[in-house]
């Protein structure tokens, strides 16, 4: 039986505020043999000034490559097949990007903007074609479902989740060796295969999901709150209501409006129409991993706060080289990071309580704050 599918990308609140385009792209499709869902997140910095196009090309290349996958997947050959798929994706994406750059040379406006953030050497490499992939930098995360087999690939941040027939949510993708703070693995890296991860398994999941990091900036990764959101998406996909797409649009818009980063948000997934949608369950191990990841992010925020507070203290009016513009910038950074710290602590508290109270191998995940997002 064919999986139901959904996908949605919404522009971030901060992108709308500053007149920036949406740099996320998502897609989903399938038939009785194979179903696929994918998200790609173009990097937001000015150095990656065509990253939205890079994300679009990533999804387009995947759709083209999937036609070469077998109609019947077997565990014995899955490892080799996924490695070939990832390598082919990297190669084809680079070819597509370079073809696009040839047909669409850098504009004067693009060069004027990027020259402000690149060193002289970096700008020269861009002009001579050495760094021609950098402007298109994007992540990629996709899931595949056959009749009795599933698989997933991921390069960069964002997430991939799975729910089984009993409502247990897991995040089986191995951790990245690159993603840390504001860094992420990317298709534009010199060697993207070094951190292009994959996982697979037998059986037929009730649902498979992929999403960009804009969602994890509002809801903790691998948390009950995130699982509740994904479970709502699963229920929304099962419904025959004509408002299904409108419901998803409204929910993702609410997420980005709540996030301090205001990043673009994307989600895509596959739902088995033959399986019931159960109440959410999360393993204690997943909750512990979520708490550890948030703790690492908290340490990064606190380090940034301390650094900028020290710079602000050294920029007092009685100090040599006092500059009001620099002071205002530092004050803005400190204020924003203090808000991020407060929000992160609020997100961590229910997970802290859950980690301390879970006595069995599974726990419920119905969070009132998450429900508010989906109402």
């Amino acid at each position: 039986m064919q999986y139901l599918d959904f996908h949605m990308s919404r522009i971030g609140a901060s992108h709308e505020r500053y007149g920036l385009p949406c740099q996320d792209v998502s897609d989903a499709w399938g038939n009785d043999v194979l179903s696929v869902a994918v998200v790609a997140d173009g990097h937001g910095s000015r150095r990656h000034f065509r990253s939205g196009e890079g994300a679009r090309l990533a999804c387009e290349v995947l759709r083209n490559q999937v036609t070469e996958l077998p109609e019947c997947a077997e565990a014995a050959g899955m490892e080799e097949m996924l490695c070939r798929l990832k390598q082919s994706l990297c190669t084809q994406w680079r070819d597509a990007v370079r073809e696009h750059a040839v047909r669409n040379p850098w504009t004067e406006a693009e060069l004027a903007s990027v020259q402000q953030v690149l060193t002289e050497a970096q700008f020269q490499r861009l002009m001579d074609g050495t760094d021609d992939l950098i402007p298109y930098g994007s992540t990629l995360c996709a899931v595949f479902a056959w009749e009795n087999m599933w698989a997933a690939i991921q390069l960069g941040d964002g997430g991939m989740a799975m729910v089984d027939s009993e409502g247990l949510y897991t995040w089986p993708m191995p951790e990245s060796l690159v993603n840390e703070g504001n860094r992420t693995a990317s298709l534009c890296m010199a060697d993207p295969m070094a951190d292009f991860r994959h996982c697979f398994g037998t059986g037929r999941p009730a649902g498979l999901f992929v999403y960009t990091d804009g969602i994890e900036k509002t809801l903790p990764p691998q948390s009950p709150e995130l699982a509740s959101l994904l479970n709502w998406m699963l229920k929304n996909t099962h419904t025959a209501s004509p408002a299904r797409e409108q419901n998803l649009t409204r929910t993702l818009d609410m997420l980005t409006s709540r996030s301090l980063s205001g990043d673009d948000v994307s989600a895509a997934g596959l739902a088995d129409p033959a399986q019931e949608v159960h109440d959410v369950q999360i393993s204690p191990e997943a909750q512990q991993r979520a708490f550890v990841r948030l703790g690492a992010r908290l340490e990064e925020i606190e380090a940034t706060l301390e650094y900028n507070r020290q710079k602000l203290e050294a920029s007092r009016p009685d100090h040599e080289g006092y500059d009001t513009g620099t002071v205002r910038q530092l004050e803005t950074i400190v204020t924003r990071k203090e808000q991020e710290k407060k929000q992160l602590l609020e997100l961590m508290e229910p997970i802290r309580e859950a980690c301390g109270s879970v006595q069995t191998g599974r726990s419920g995940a119905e969070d009132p704050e998450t429900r508010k997002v989906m109402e």
Side-chain angles (χ1 to χ4, degrees):
M1 181 181 295
Q2 182 176 342
Y3 275 83
L4 303 173
D5 62 61
F6 73 90
H7 72 92
M8 179 70 67
S9 295
R10 299 297 294 170
I11 188 170
S14 66
H15 284 224
E16 286 193 307
R17 194 159 51 243
Y18 297 112
L20 300 173
C22 179
Q23 294 161 320
D24 273 15
V25 179
S26 59
D27 199 1
W29 67 94
N31 51 40
D32 291 336
V33 174
L34 172 65
S35 296
V36 183
V38 57
V39 294
D41 181 0
H43 310 323
S45 70
R46 282 191 289 174
R47 188 182 182 199
H48 306 284
F49 52 87
R50 288 189 179 177
S51 62
E53 188 65 28
R56 184 191 68 79
L57 289 171
C59 290
E60 183 179 290
V61 167
L62 177 67
R63 183 180 271 268
N64 293 335
Q65 292 296 305
V66 162
T67 60
E68 300 179 10
L69 295 182
E71 293 186 355
C72 183
E74 297 181 359
M78 185 62 69
E79 183 81 24
E80 181 181 352
M81 184 185 75
L82 291 176
C83 287
R84 286 200 310 268
L85 174 63
K86 293 187 299 181
Q87 184 63 68
S88 179
L89 281 169
C90 292
T91 301
Q92 295 299 320
W93 181 83
R94 287 166 180 253
D95 291 344
V97 161
R98 286 176 170 139
E99 181 181 345
H100 184 274
V102 169
R103 288 187 284 105
N104 302 273
W106 315 132
T107 66
E108 291 184 7
E110 287 174 332
L111 293 177
S113 176
V114 76
Q115 195 168 14
Q116 300 174 19
V117 297
L118 297 182
T119 65
E120 184 176 341
Q122 288 174 332
F123 187 74
Q124 184 56 47
R125 288 198 297 271
L126 176 67
M127 295 302 294
D128 65 22
T130 305
D131 282 351
D132 56 344
L133 301 176
I134 298 297
Y136 294 86
S138 174
T139 67
L140 178 74
C141 189
V143 288
F144 312 90
W146 293 266
E147 180 59 33
N148 287 296
M149 194 85 197
W150 63 269
I153 58 174
Q154 181 172 0
L155 179 65
D157 52 25
M160 172 265 162
M162 178 174 66
V163 58
D164 68 13
S165 59
E166 297 181 10
L168 178 66
Y169 276 78
T170 55
W171 286 263
M173 186 66 69
E175 290 288 334
S176 170
L177 301 175
V178 174
N179 301 346
E180 180 181 345
N182 293 324
R183 296 176 62 247
T184 184
S186 171
L187 284 164
C188 71
M189 294 169 58
D191 181 18
M193 285 295 291
D195 201 59
F196 209 152
R197 298 159 282 153
H198 67 261
C199 57
F200 60 89
T202 57
R204 189 173 173 91
L208 291 161
F209 310 87
V210 287
Y211 47 88
T212 56
D213 71 326
I215 288 180
E216 288 188 337
K217 290 176 180 176
T218 306
L219 301 176
Q222 301 187 21
S223 66
E225 294 86 355
L226 176 56
S228 292
L229 171 68
L230 298 177
N231 212 49
W232 176 87
M233 291 181 181
L234 194 66
K235 291 179 181 178
N236 190 57
T237 305
H238 274 268
T239 182
S241 168
R244 182 172 61 181
E245 185 170 329
Q246 182 180 359
N247 293 338
L248 184 57
T249 299
R250 185 173 64 248
T251 297
L252 293 186
D253 285 346
M254 178 68 73
L255 280 173
T256 186
S257 69
R258 286 184 55 184
S259 170
L260 287 176
S261 69
D263 198 5
D264 299 332
V265 291
S266 289
L270 307 172
D272 183 356
Q275 296 195 48
E276 180 183 353
V277 180
H278 293 272
D279 291 337
V280 174
Q281 300 180 71
I282 299 286
S283 71
E285 294 78 15
Q287 293 189 54
Q288 185 62 41
R289 286 196 301 271
F291 192 76
V292 169
R293 290 181 65 179
L294 289 175
R297 189 187 301 176
L298 180 62
E299 289 180 0
E300 293 172 0
I301 292 175
E302 289 177 334
T304 302
L305 260 176
E306 180 61 25
Y307 174 76
N308 285 281
R309 281 170 176 162
Q310 290 179 5
K311 290 185 66 176
L312 188 59
E313 177 64 23
S315 301
R316 293 178 303 183
D318 57 335
H319 284 206
E320 184 179 352
Y322 173 75
D323 178 73
T324 55
T326 299
V327 169
R328 281 196 297 269
Q329 287 181 336
L330 291 171
E331 288 175 342
T332 299
I333 293 173
V334 168
T335 299
R336 186 176 70 250
K337 288 300 177 181
E338 287 175 340
Q339 292 173 338
E340 289 181 11
K341 179 179 178 180
K342 179 181 178 182
Q343 185 182 60
L344 190 58
L345 288 171
E346 291 173 352
L347 292 174
M348 291 177 71
E349 188 55 35
I351 303 180
R352 185 199 306 274
E353 294 176 358
C355 289
S357 63
V358 171
Q359 300 297 323
T360 64
R362 297 180 175 187
S363 67
E366 284 298 328
D367 178 70
E369 286 302 310
T370 303
R371 287 199 295 272
K372 287 180 184 178
V373 174
M374 298 178 283
E375 291 173 353

